[in-house]
């Protein structure tokens, strides 16, 4: 499915100009020097600044302004809450694979930030490695502020995409404020699942919190379902307010069924990919 | 334990535990919206279903207690008292309300003595005018010692008597003290042993203090009466009769549980016994409503004058003034007089000497 999407990607609105820009970049490596950045595994060795290496003995990359604009960074939430209910995590990883694959094919570079890992990928040939990286991401609770601080420490530029369930919006406020303070443009991607509206359960139900391990047994009836529906609507409003307050867009991405591998199912809305 | 076979019911305890378990959840839901579930539940003021350990323990305790009760289990008894001392308050206040409290007390004593086990000895202690009176013997002998109607005025403290009769509480005393009283006369009821209070609540008003200002040999007599009221506010009538000129009854208003004083200005007639009485129809204890006072008899109206030659005129002036007060006259010592005014000289009083007022006179006893 991913190969179909990547092949059809030029037809996606908004991708053609990115492709042209990437082609120009391959033709000419020139540009305005922006900053040095420490080398990470997967970086293009052609961008190493050997003069700095001769002086300091450490590997640094020259970053050009155009180069930064043609790079995308994906922050992926791998907390246990992403594993809860219907597989939001699987959908989130598929979404990360599509967005990351498009960045590799049409742009100059991709960085994956998840948990405490930072992986840099470059070129269309790195798609297979991207899938390997996504497949081996651990399940670990990470504070959003720590996750946001990691690419800033690595001095990653370009656009940021943050894939998460934003289950506790209050914990993301400081992280988004930090990214805004450092001038990063962020797009929030929230893979939506049916449970975000109303879970289809009834009777005596045992609820488990994947983050804390707490559990409760409740009798779920119509009255409780209506009250939960109100709470979930309130959560959605808080998530929208979180990104609206930071000045960033939030994309609610309705996940196709877990066994639906049709490429059209992922792009039926013809949304614009902005990376 | 009379029926130990009932202990088999304890085997049902596991069934209680099984019935007490909460319903098993049909489904476990791993949710990212646990907080929203909790808030929705709290909005509806519901509690999560859980096994209530405390409720189960209470159920087990109640179930076990019911089974133990069904087996008839009892604790071994301890040896009780071998002597019963009945401390009977036979003060006159028990005769109030036509003697109903006294009859009730006697009936209780009779019933208790007749129901005593044979190994328990009994004694009856009465508190009366003569202090403690102790009677011992059989039930019939003790009942025979109970007076038909008490008329004593108890001065002993029932608590002190009961404590002395009970003996040393630290020792293994086998003496049980049972006090029967109407609760009147003691600031606090006795705490030692058993206590029975007979009779209903009664209100009392009575004379608690008398002060006499006697103007003898003049006729004026002033009596200060202090009255205490133990009951609701009321109005009483005070009269003084006998030995004084009759006067109309005086009304006195008394506040609830309060004291009041009244002064009676009287004129002596012949002296003797004066009865000050309080009248109140609602008074349950009339024995403290009357007080008797002895006034000296009125003297002869003649005032005798004995003055030697050197006496001045003032003795005669005093005698004439006194005689004028008594509506009499001044007579010589040879005549009979009710009062003598003696000035100077040596006076040898005769055997039937009348009261006298002397000035500078030396008394000498008759040989």
């Amino acid at each position: 499915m991913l190969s179909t999407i990547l092949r059809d990607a030029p037809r996606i609105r908004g991708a053609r100009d990115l492709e042209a820009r990437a082609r120009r970049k391959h033709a000419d490596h020139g540009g305005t020097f922006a900053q040095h950045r420490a080398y990470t595994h997967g970086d293009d060795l052609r961008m190493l600044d050997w003069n700095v290496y001769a002086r300091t003995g450490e590997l640094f990359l020259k970053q050009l302004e155009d180069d930064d604009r043609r790079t995308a960074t994906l922050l992926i939430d791998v907390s246990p809450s992403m594993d809860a209910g219907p597989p939001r995590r699987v959908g989130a990883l598929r979404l990360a694979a599509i967005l990351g694959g498009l960045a590799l094919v049409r742009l100059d570079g991709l960085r994956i930030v998840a948990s405490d890992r930072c992986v840099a990928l470059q070129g269309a040939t790195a798609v297979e490695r991207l899938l390997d990286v996504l497949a081996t991401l651990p399940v670990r609770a990470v504070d959003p502020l720590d996750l946001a601080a990691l690419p800033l420490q690595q001095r990653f530029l370009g656009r940021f995409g943050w894939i998460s369930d934003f289950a506790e919006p209050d914990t993301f406020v400081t992280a988004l404020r930090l990214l805004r303070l450092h001038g990063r443009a962020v797009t929030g991607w929230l893979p939506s699942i049916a449970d975000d509206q109303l879970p289809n359960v009834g009777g005596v139900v045992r609820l488990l919190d994947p983050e804390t391990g707490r559990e409760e047994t409740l009798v779920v009836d119509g009255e409780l379902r209506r009250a939960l529906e109100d709470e979930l609507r309130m959560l959605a409003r808080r998530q929208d307010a979180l990104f609206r307050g930071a000045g960033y867009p939030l994309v609610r991405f309705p996940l196709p069924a877990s066994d639906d591998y049709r490429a059209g199912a992922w792009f039926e809305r013809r949304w614009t990919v902005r990376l | 334990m009379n029926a130990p076979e009932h202990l088999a019911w304890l085997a049902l305890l596991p069934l209680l535990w099984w019935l007490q378990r909460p319903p098993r959840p049909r489904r476990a839901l791993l949710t990212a919206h646990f907080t929203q579930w909790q808030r929705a539940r709290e909005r509806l003021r519901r509690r999560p279903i859980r096994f209530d350990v405390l409720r189960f323990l209470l159920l087990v305790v109640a179930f076990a207690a019911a089974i133990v009760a069904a087996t008839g289990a009892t604790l071994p008894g301890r040896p009780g008292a071998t002597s019963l001392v009945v401390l009977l308050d036979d003060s006159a206040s028990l005769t109030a309300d036509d003697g109903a409290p006294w009859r009730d007390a006697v009936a209780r004593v009779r019933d208790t003595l007749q129901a005593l086990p044979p190994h328990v000895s009994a004694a009856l202690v009465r508190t009366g005018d003569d202090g403690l009176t102790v009677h011992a013997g059989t039930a019939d002998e003790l009942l025979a010692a109970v007076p038909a109607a008490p008329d004593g005025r108890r001065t002993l403290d029932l608590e002190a008597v009961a404590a002395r009769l009970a003996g040393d509480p630290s020792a293994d005393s086998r003496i049980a003290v049972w006090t029967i009283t109407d609760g009147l006369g003691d600031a606090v009821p006795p705490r030692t042993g058993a206590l029975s209070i007979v009779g209903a609540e009664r209100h009392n008003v009575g004379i608690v203090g008398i002060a006499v200002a006697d103007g003898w040999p003049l006729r004026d007599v002033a009596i200060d009466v202090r009255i205490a009221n133990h009951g609701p506010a009321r109005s009483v009538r005070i009269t003084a009769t006998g030995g004084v000129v009759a006067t109309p009854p005086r009304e006195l208003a008394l506040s609830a549980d309060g004291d009041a004083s009244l002064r009676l200005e009287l004129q002596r007639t012949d002296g003797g016994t004066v009865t000050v009485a309080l009248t109140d129809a609602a008074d349950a204890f009339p024995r403290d409503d009357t007080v008797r006072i002895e006034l000296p008899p009125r003297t002869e109206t003649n005032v005798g004058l004995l003055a030697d030659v050197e006496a001045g005129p003032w003795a005669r002036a005093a005698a004439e003034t006194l005689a004028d007060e008594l509506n009499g006259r001044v007579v010589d010592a040879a005549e009979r007089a009710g009062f003598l005014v003696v000035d100077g000289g040596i006076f040898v009083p005769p055997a039937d000497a009348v009261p006298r007022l002397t000035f500078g006179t030396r008394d000498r006893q008759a040989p």
Side-chain angles (χ1 to χ4, degrees), chain A residues 63-81:
Chain A
Q63 283 189 292
L64 305 178
E65 287 183 354
D66 287 348
D67 187 25
D68 291 331
R69 280 198 293 271
R70 291 194 294 267
T71 306
T73 301
L74 286 181
L75 287 77
I76 303 175
D77 183 1
V78 291
S79 59
S81 67

Side-chain angles (χ1 to χ4, degrees), chain A residues 85 196 201 204 206 217 221, chain B residues 26-27 29-30 33 46 49:
Chain A
D196 291 341
V201 292
V204 182
R206 186 162 63 101
T217 302
D221 53 8
Chain B
R26 291 182 188 173
R27 180 180 164 187
L29 179 64
L30 195 67
H33 305 305
R46 293 184 183 178
I49 300 173

Side-chain angles (χ1 to χ4, degrees), chain B residues 39-366:
Chain B
R39 287 179 181 167
R41 174 180 58 74
E42 289 167 1
R43 269 176 55 187
L44 300 178
R45 299 179 184 279
R46 293 184 183 178
R47 298 174 61 185
I49 300 173
R50 60 179 59 150
F51 183 76
D52 195 332
V53 178
L54 181 61
R55 181 183 294 180
F56 175 67
L57 287 178
L58 288 175
L59 185 63
V60 167
V61 170
F63 185 69
I67 290 176
V68 171
T71 60
T74 55
L75 294 172
R78 293 178 300 175
T82 55
S83 298
L84 173 66
V85 178
V86 181
L87 178 58
L88 181 60
D89 177 10
D90 59 351
S91 58
S93 61
L94 275 86
T95 60
D97 201 9
D98 294 333
W102 179 251
R103 289 194 297 274
D104 184 18
V106 173
R108 292 191 191 197
V109 172
R110 182 188 304 112
D111 295 343
T112 303
L113 291 180
Q114 289 174 348
L116 275 183
H119 67 278
V120 177
S121 61
L124 178 69
V125 178
R126 292 169 48 207
T127 62
D129 283 337
D130 303 331
L132 293 179
T133 307
V134 181
H135 303 274
T138 63
D140 292 338
E141 291 170 347
L142 294 180
L143 288 173
V146 176
D151 57 355
R153 189 180 185 92
R154 178 167 60 83
T155 56
L156 295 170
D157 181 20
L158 284 180
E159 168 59 20
V161 175
R164 207 169 63 193
L165 291 173
D168 184 5
S170 59
D172 189 14
S173 175
R174 297 292 183 85
I175 300 174
V177 179
W178 176 33
T179 305
I180 307 176
T181 178
D182 57 356
L184 298 175
D186 295 299
V188 292
R191 294 185 300 273
T192 302
L195 173 67
S196 294
I197 295 181
V198 295
E201 181 187 13
R202 295 292 167 184
H203 303 300
N204 182 32
V205 58
I207 300 173
V208 295
I210 285 284
V212 180
D214 190 356
W216 188 91
L218 303 181
R219 302 179 64 192
D220 299 333
V221 177
I223 302 177
D224 290 317
V225 184
R226 194 161 69 86
I227 298 166
N229 177 28
H230 302 285
R234 64 179 82 186
S235 180
V236 297
R237 302 172 71 184
I238 312 295
T239 57
T241 56
V244 292
V245 177
T247 56
R250 297 277 301 276
E251 292 280 342
L252 179 63
L254 297 168
S255 61
D257 294 321
D259 293 359
S261 294
L262 177 73
R263 165 163 283 214
L264 299 173
E265 301 284 356
L266 303 172
Q267 292 288 315
R268 184 197 327 267
T269 53
D270 296 328
T273 302
V274 177
T275 303
V276 179
L278 176 152
T279 307
D280 179 37
D283 186 14
F285 306 102
R287 288 177 61 118
D288 56 357
D289 293 353
T290 305
V291 174
R292 291 181 175 81
I293 305 165
E294 290 295 330
L295 291 180
R298 188 179 173 190
T299 180
E300 293 286 340
T301 56
N302 293 341
V303 177
L305 177 61
L306 288 176
D308 62 5
V309 293
E310 296 179 353
W314 55 270
R316 173 165 292 278
E320 288 175 350
T321 303
L322 193 56
D324 186 50
E325 288 275 348
L326 298 173
N327 293 325
R329 60 188 178 83
V330 178
V331 298
D332 293 333
E335 295 186 35
R336 180 166 183 79
F339 195 81
L340 285 179
V341 176
V342 185
D343 185 7
I346 299 172
F347 182 71
V348 181
D352 56 347
V354 297
R356 60 190 180 277
L357 184 65
T358 62
F359 302 95
T361 304
R362 286 178 291 173
D363 283 356
R364 179 175 295 174
Q365 295 297 323

